[in-house]
Amino acid sequence: MDLFDKFQFNDYVKKTLNNIHFTSPTPIQDKVIPLVYKNKDIIGISQTGTGKTHSFLIPIIDRIDTNADYVQAVITTPTRELAHQIYENAKEFKKENPDLRISLVIGGSDKQKAINKLSTQPHIVIGTPGRIKDLSLNEQALIITTATTFVVDEADMTLEYGYLEDLDAVLSKMREDLQMLVFSATIPEHLWPFLRKYMNAPELVQIDAHKKTTDNTKHYLIHTKHHDRYTVLKNIMDIIDPYICLIFCNKRTEATKLSDQLRSDGYRVGEIHGDLEPRERKQMMRRINNNEYQYIVATDIAARGIDIDGVSHVINMEFPTERDFYIHRSGRCGRGKYKGECYSMYDSSNQQMVESLEKKGIHFEVKEIRNGVLTDAKARNKRKNRNAPQSELEKEIQRIIKRPKKVKPGYKKKRKREIQAIYQKKKRDIIRRDIQKQKKERAKQAQREKREGEYAVIIGSHVSMGGKEMLLGSVKEALSYNANTFMFYTGAPQNTRRKPVSELRVEEAKELMKEKGIDMDKVVVHAPYIINLGNTIKPETRELAVSFLRQEIERCDEIGASRLVLHPGAHVKAGDEAGLDAIVSGLNEAMKPEQKVHIALETMAGKGTELGRTFDQLAYIIDHCDYPELLGLCLDTCHLNDAGYDISDFDAILDEVDEKIGLDKVLVVHVNDSKNPQGSHKDRHENIGFGTIGFDTLDSIVSNERLKDVPKILETPYIEKNAPYKEEIEMLKKHEFNPGLKEMFE
């Protein structure tokens, strides 16, 4: 009797299984589902594509009491994309039973809306550890302590991404008889203490994914010989015509570099790797699902658990470090009734890995590409019996132990022991020297950091640009304040008149910056405040804003500036939604994918119809823009205070930024005190320490370790027509407030 027939599932579960064409269980479903009904804790080891998601979804949903108004099951995943995928799978059951309540709880969405939706508790919670922790422990809007089943999906990724701490905090509050279901491709050693802490005599279910995935897949070895791997890749791409091809790299830096190379050669490629920020990943997945890319560059960790329909080919730029990773990669193609092809570049260093995979039942064909045709190549093990070249250490040992003129019985064994002893001693000596060298380097680095610590902060102020010296004069003004960065307008902020960049004395300015240690990459340009992309009332105003912003982007690229601060705009009484969409549209028109400058959207105080007053609004803009990789944030302390944020707990604000947008998106910090109380929506700057925010709070923001590489810019008001920036910068460097600052200029 089939498992699906054996269990008397609820009618709506049976109907759903029929709707999604589930006729018989996969191996992991066959083993896991009965154990779930026995209330066993389970550790399931399997790859993507084995049906693991439904192995826990089916019994969980089947056991839900829809008449109860409390949470009965929690499912966590390390990424938003994975959570979305599980949520979409779960929604199929809801079609047949509308009473079933399922909530998706992830970062990057409006937290207040999420809280409002929790006025009625869901039956099943699916989400990321951080957001579940936030809503359950911090906000206490989500009550999960009633749950009887808790699923940790992709546990090794959860460990890799550093989310075990969040899970630990949540699980410590759960009931003692909680059923734990943990699924992972592998179980790293560092994961076991966590499993032992929360699991009770778990059943281990392990499925060899390759038995399912390799039957329809051909595996080709392409020897790189002395060829450049990128050239080999292009040769492979020339002979295949994939529906979707995944190209795997071992490191995220390699994936980024490869994507850039392919784009420069005219290929339209997608990317899935760890250097993508959450918003970029979300947009990338949307484009992948819309079949916008024929080729997708990926890394193992980033691509884990993400199902991409229609993968026909896989190309490995090199063999992965783990055998299971190869099985996972190749298992992405050749699914179901479809054929797949997996091409792997290899050299002699991969021999052991290949042999190990062959023992797992994978058959490799050795091929080479000649004149655009895939042909048989010489057997890879032809030279296997040749002596491997000696290392320098082995050569040295051979010189030390010379062959005696007279050989006695047992000579070979004795010589082998002597060589081994010397080898171990030499190896220990080498390791010892390396350790000592590393210790010395660490000590030197610590001394350098101690010496430079006082001045490590990247801080400057707004400076003017005009007269005969132009940008050169701006640099000189910044240096007079003892600053190591600065911010400037490329022309008057209140009009559109601009001098050609050739007249700004840029090269002279850069020479002086180089001499004085100012990094051009940390210098900030501010876009004119007359740009309003949010205006939908006057088309001519919007057209001006778009064209002027495009001009400023081009000027920044010509100057060599990498950070352009922009006020998002105001909706002019057309409403938030209309204004935000107008800003997105305007950015899409003004920006170009090849531009070098990144636009930092400034947090606004919310006066009048200003947009960008919340991180949710800014996240919306970034998420919906065509070029999220070119957008970031400028955090203005005065604006945040006036918008209603409590910046005395700035780490909490950074946590929110990280959750909704990504901390990597913070490109600039404007450091200003405020003349107004929190939530006033006024936007009136005050000198450091003389406003409602206070010196201690601003000082802690400037020295916050999480923002150490972000330029801090003062925009505080002049005192009696004098710039106070030198004195304010000194206060922040010394961490000492000068209450007599204003008196110095009277």
Side-chain angles (χ1 to χ4, degrees):
M1 183 183 290
D2 193 284
L3 179 69
F4 288 172
D5 296 325
K6 179 181 177 182
F7 285 98
Q8 298 300 310
F9 298 134
N10 288 307
D11 288 341
Y12 76 90
V13 173
K14 292 178 181 177
K15 288 180 181 178
T16 303
L17 294 177
N18 184 61
N19 294 341
I20 61 179
H21 309 294
F22 274 34
T23 56
S24 59
T26 65
I28 191 168
Q29 292 165 6
D30 193 57
K31 292 184 178 181
V32 167
I33 291 176
L35 293 173
V36 175
Y37 282 102
K38 292 179 181 178
N39 291 318
K40 295 284 189 180
D41 284 6
I42 302 167
I43 297 175
I45 301 176
S46 72
Q47 306 290 337
T48 299
T50 57
K52 123 178 107 63
T53 299
H54 282 90
S55 73
F56 58 79
L57 266 186
I58 292 171
I60 284 176
I61 291 175
D62 186 58
R63 297 196 299 177
I64 292 295
D65 179 4
T66 55
N67 294 318
D69 291 327
Y70 56 83
V71 175
Q72 297 166 53
V74 179
I75 302 169
T76 70
T77 71
T79 69
R80 300 171 187 176
E81 293 88 356
L82 288 173
H84 265 292
Q85 288 185 9
I86 297 173
Y87 179 66
E88 290 301 320
N89 285 323
K91 279 170 58 179
E92 292 292 333
F93 294 86
K94 186 174 174 63
K95 291 178 182 178
E96 296 295 337
N97 186 359
D99 294 333
L100 183 65
R101 297 196 298 274
I102 308 168
S103 286
L104 180 64
V105 179
I106 59 174
S109 56
D110 190 317
K111 185 165 78 172
Q112 190 55 51
K113 285 184 180 178
I115 292 172
N116 295 339
K117 288 181 181 178
L118 293 172
S119 57
T120 302
Q121 295 291 300
H123 298 125
I124 302 173
V125 177
I126 303 170
T128 49
R131 181 51 67 93
I132 289 176
K133 175 192 172 186
D134 185 26
L135 293 182
S136 61
L137 299 186
N138 300 338
E139 301 292 342
Q140 296 187 352
L142 178 64
I143 304 170
I144 60 173
T145 52
T146 55
T148 55
T149 305
F150 199 105
V151 180
V152 181
D153 195 21
E154 303 294 351
D156 53 347
M157 285 176 67
T158 302
L159 171 68
E160 181 79 19
Y161 287 178
Y163 295 142
L164 279 192
E165 187 176 340
D166 291 332
L167 275 183
D168 189 43
V170 171
L171 286 167
S172 65
K173 306 295 184 182
M174 303 297 287
R175 55 196 294 165
E176 290 186 6
D177 61 345
L178 182 71
Q179 182 184 31
M180 285 280 294
L181 311 179
V182 176
F183 295 88
S184 188
T186 59
I187 303 293
E189 186 178 344
H190 294 304
L191 188 59
W192 281 110
F194 173 83
L195 300 180
R196 293 190 189 101
K197 182 177 180 180
Y198 290 110
M199 303 191 79
N200 180 31
E203 296 276 350
L204 181 63
V205 177
Q206 189 164 3
I207 304 296
D208 288 332
H210 78 275
K211 291 180 180 178
K212 178 179 185 297
T213 58
T214 59
D215 290 344
N216 297 334
T217 301
K218 289 188 174 182
H219 301 261
Y220 299 118
L221 295 178
I222 309 295
H223 204 300
T224 55
K225 296 182 180 178
H226 303 295
H227 300 298
D228 172 65
R229 288 182 182 252
Y230 184 68
T231 302
V232 176
L233 171 65
K234 294 199 58 185
N235 289 338
I236 297 172
M237 293 169 72
D238 286 341
I239 66 168
I240 64 175
D241 185 20
Y243 186 73
I244 294 177
C245 175
L246 288 178
I247 305 172
F248 280 99
C249 299
N250 285 359
K251 298 178 180 178
R252 60 182 67 177
T253 53
E254 294 168 353
T256 302
K257 182 181 177 182
L258 180 60
S259 300
D260 291 341
Q261 280 183 293
L262 289 169
R263 289 194 189 98
S264 66
D265 283 343
Y267 292 94
R268 184 167 172 81
V269 297
E271 298 176 59
I272 309 173
H273 54 77
D275 280 345
L276 293 181
E277 297 170 13
R279 295 279 160 182
E280 294 174 297
R281 283 174 62 89
K282 185 177 179 181
Q283 188 170 61
M284 183 61 66
M285 286 306 304
R286 185 167 62 243
R287 290 179 172 178
I288 290 172
N289 292 329
N290 289 337
N291 297 320
E292 294 184 28
Y293 303 112
Q294 191 176 14
Y295 296 94
I296 301 166
V297 180
T299 56
D300 290 288
I301 294 296
R304 279 274 307 281
I306 297 175
D307 283 323
I308 301 173
D309 292 332
V311 177
S312 58
H313 293 72
V314 169
I315 301 175
N316 295 314
M317 294 300 293
E318 57 185 318
F319 270 88
T321 54
E322 300 288 338
R323 183 181 66 184
D324 287 345
F325 283 2
Y326 179 90
I327 295 171
H328 173 75
R329 290 179 181 183
S330 62
R332 289 190 165 270
C333 63
R335 294 186 177 180
K337 300 177 181 179
Y338 300 101
K339 303 292 184 182
E341 294 179 358
C342 180
Y343 294 81
S344 301
M345 302 182 205
Y346 88 108
D347 54 35
S348 56
S349 66
N350 306 129
Q351 183 65 33
Q352 188 175 354
M353 173 66 77
V354 172
E355 290 176 355
S356 174
L357 288 165
E358 286 176 331
K359 290 177 181 178
K360 294 286 286 184
I362 295 176
H363 172 68
F364 290 99
E365 297 180 37
V366 185
K367 300 287 186 178
E368 60 183 351
I369 300 172
R370 293 181 182 176
N371 300 320
V373 179
L374 191 68
T375 60
D376 292 333
K378 296 178 181 178
R380 71 175 190 278
N381 58 359
K382 186 174 180 180
R383 302 186 181 187
K384 187 176 177 181
N385 295 326
R386 292 190 179 183
N387 293 329
Q390 289 183 311
S391 67
E392 290 300 318
L393 180 57
E394 290 169 333
K395 290 178 181 178
E396 185 180 348
I397 291 169
Q398 293 295 337
R399 287 192 295 269
I400 295 171
I401 301 180
K402 296 180 180 179
R403 182 182 177 94
K405 293 180 180 180
K406 295 183 180 180
V407 177
K408 296 181 179 180
Y411 156 73
K412 288 185 178 179
K413 289 184 179 180
K414 182 180 178 182
R415 181 178 171 84
K416 187 177 179 180
R417 287 196 299 270
E418 289 174 341
I419 291 173
Q420 186 64 25
I422 295 173
Y423 181 85
Q424 291 296 333
K425 185 177 183 302
K426 288 285 183 183
K427 192 174 180 180
R428 284 195 296 271
D429 289 342
I430 292 171
I431 293 171
R432 196 177 292 111
R433 286 197 297 270
D434 285 344
I435 291 172
Q436 290 298 325
K437 186 179 179 181
Q438 291 174 21
K439 283 183 177 179
K440 288 180 180 179
E441 286 298 319
R442 285 197 295 268
K444 288 180 180 178
Q445 181 63 26
Q447 289 176 352
R448 284 194 295 270
E449 290 176 357
K450 186 176 180 180
R451 245 185 351 260
E452 300 170 0
E454 191 66 56
Y455 305 98
V457 61
I458 305 167
I459 190 168
S461 69
H462 169 255
V463 297
S464 59
M465 187 181 71
K468 294 181 179 180
E469 291 196 309
M470 301 305 289
L471 188 58
L472 177 62
S474 302
V475 178
K476 290 180 179 180
E477 183 181 349
L479 292 171
S480 74
Y481 302 146
N482 291 333
N484 53 18
T485 188
F486 59 93
M487 183 177 75
F488 68 100
Y489 290 90
T490 70
Q494 70 275 15
N495 61 53
T496 60
R497 293 192 297 274
R498 292 291 183 270
K499 284 189 176 182
V501 173
S502 58
E503 297 180 15
L504 301 186
R505 302 181 71 173
V506 174
E507 294 307 315
E508 293 172 84
K510 287 182 178 179
E511 284 291 327
L512 182 58
M513 289 163 61
K514 186 177 180 181
E515 179 188 337
K516 299 299 183 179
I518 295 179
D519 185 356
M520 183 65 191
D521 184 54
K522 304 298 183 183
V523 172
V524 182
V525 178
H526 202 304
Y529 50 73
I530 60 173
I531 294 176
N532 182 12
L533 297 175
N535 192 336
T536 62
I537 307 299
K538 294 184 177 180
E540 64 276 13
T541 302
R542 184 184 177 280
E543 289 174 12
L544 172 66
V546 172
S547 63
F548 199 13
L549 177 58
R550 188 182 297 119
Q551 178 186 325
E552 287 296 298
I553 291 171
E554 291 171 353
R555 288 170 67 81
C556 285
D557 279 353
E558 192 174 351
I559 292 169
S562 63
R563 303 166 197 247
L564 174 63
V565 174
L566 174 70
H567 293 182
H571 62 71
V572 197
K573 298 183 179 180
D576 288 1
E577 186 175 349
L580 290 170
D581 287 338
I583 293 169
V584 170
S585 175
L587 286 169
N588 288 340
E589 289 180 51
M591 297 171 69
K592 296 179 180 179
E594 65 271 16
Q595 70 183 54
K596 301 295 189 297
V597 69
H598 288 65
I599 295 177
L601 301 173
E602 188 167 347
T603 56
M604 305 306 293
K607 64 180 187 293
T609 63
E610 274 184 344
L611 296 166
R613 60 185 180 271
T614 68
F615 294 124
D616 288 315
Q617 289 186 350
L618 294 166
Y620 180 91
I621 295 170
I622 295 172
D623 186 38
H624 289 80
C625 184
D626 290 341
Y627 312 106
E629 68 278 6
L630 296 174
L631 292 173
L633 294 179
C634 170
L635 304 180
D636 187 298
T637 56
C638 173
H639 296 176
L640 286 169
N641 174 81
D642 289 14
Y645 287 93
D646 180 12
I647 69 169
S648 63
D649 187 3
F650 206 69
D651 273 310
I653 288 178
L654 295 182
D655 288 342
E656 184 175 351
V657 171
D658 197 25
E659 178 74 17
K660 294 181 176 179
I661 300 172
L663 204 55
D664 293 347
K665 286 292 192 184
V666 180
L667 304 179
V668 185
V669 177
H670 284 170
V671 185
N672 304 297
D673 216 323
S674 175
K675 293 181 181 291
N676 303 288
Q678 180 183 335
S680 62
H681 303 293
K682 295 289 188 181
D683 185 12
R684 296 180 64 209
H685 296 195
E686 178 60 282
N687 295 103
I688 304 299
F690 291 88
T692 58
I693 298 174
F695 177 81
D696 290 341
T697 295
L698 294 171
D699 182 50
S700 67
I701 292 170
V702 169
S703 58
N704 192 301
E705 182 72 15
R706 299 165 76 181
L707 300 171
K708 64 180 181 180
D709 295 323
V710 179
K712 287 83 178 179
I713 303 295
L714 300 177
E715 297 178 306
T716 53
Y718 277 31
I719 303 173
E720 299 294 328
K721 299 182 180 181
N722 296 300
Y725 301 133
K726 180 179 180 180
E727 291 73 20
E728 288 181 310
I729 289 171
E730 185 180 10
M731 285 195 302
L732 293 167
K733 282 183 176 181
K734 292 184 176 181
H735 312 293
E736 294 177 3
F737 176 56
N738 178 9
L741 172 68
K742 292 192 175 184
E743 297 171 4
M744 296 171 62
F745 297 94
E746 292 179 352

